[in-house]
Amino acid sequence: MRPSLACRPVVCVLLTALVAACSGSPGQPAASAPSGAGTPTPPAAGPALPSGPGDGPAVPSTTPPFAQVTPGVTTTGADGVQQVLIDGFNDTFQPGVFHMHPGRIRVILRNDDPVDVHNLIFSKDGGARTPDVPPGKADSVTVVLTKPGLYDFICSFHELVGMRGQVKVE
């Protein structure tokens, strides 16, 4: 049986969306260029700062290249910001502790949980946080951590069952 001609535009729209979603370069999310031009400014001193619009990618976890990124491995974003991907799954952060250098840090939370919504909140540093991330999606928070030490973060939905983690800045 031959498909009707009416369904072909739907297939074209879906293929166009798929091509657009997969158009990032290897190791980096498909995102627009950073909003600032020229050389990056050094991080400001002080406590963690909440992220603002455009500070980090909001990338579905199934979109390449994040499907191949190893959680906990520190990389540098196209904008020069240190970044790390962590997974939220089964009421845990994986990895639960990761190491970074002082400065601007982007933490990308990929929700690999099939059911639960998760978030990531820096509990002692002014409440810098990701939005609530539904299953199968990812979002990020960018903070400035200039002093060496341990910085705690939690999932507000699952903190009581142990969904906590730490950034070790050294």
Side-chain angles (χ1 to χ4, degrees):
M1 177 180 214
R2 190 169 182 195
S4 77
L5 294 176
C7 73
R8 287 187 184 176
V10 172
V11 172
C12 290
V13 169
L14 291 175
L15 286 175
T16 302
L18 180 62
V19 169
C22 295
S23 64
S25 61
Q28 298 297 326
S32 59
S35 58
T39 58
T41 53
L49 300 175
S51 64
D55 274 352
V59 181
S61 65
T62 55
T63 299
F66 278 114
Q68 288 78 35
V69 173
T70 303
V73 175
T74 304
T75 60
T76 302
D79 56 359
V81 176
Q82 299 176 84
Q83 62 186 23
V84 63
L85 173 74
I86 64 171
D87 284 331
F89 180 76
N90 201 20
D91 298 338
T92 63
F93 290 115
Q94 298 171 2
V97 177
F98 54 91
H99 301 260
M100 303 296 277
H101 297 292
R104 285 182 63 90
I105 299 168
R106 179 177 302 122
V107 182
I108 304 164
L109 172 62
R110 176 173 62 187
N111 186 350
D112 282 340
D113 203 304
V115 177
D116 290 332
V117 171
H118 296 297
N119 57 29
L120 188 146
I121 301 172
F122 281 86
S123 55
K124 295 180 183 175
D125 300 298
R129 62 173 291 153
T130 65
D132 296 343
V133 181
K137 301 291 182 182
D139 214 318
S140 67
V141 60
T142 301
V143 294
V144 178
L145 304 174
T146 59
K147 296 180 181 178
L150 292 173
Y151 295 85
D152 298 328
F153 57 88
I154 62 163
C155 170
S156 66
F157 299 109
H158 304 103
E159 178 186 18
L160 295 178
V161 294
M163 196 165 184
R164 299 179 193 97
Q166 289 183 320
V167 179
K168 185 172 185 179
V169 176
E170 41 190 17

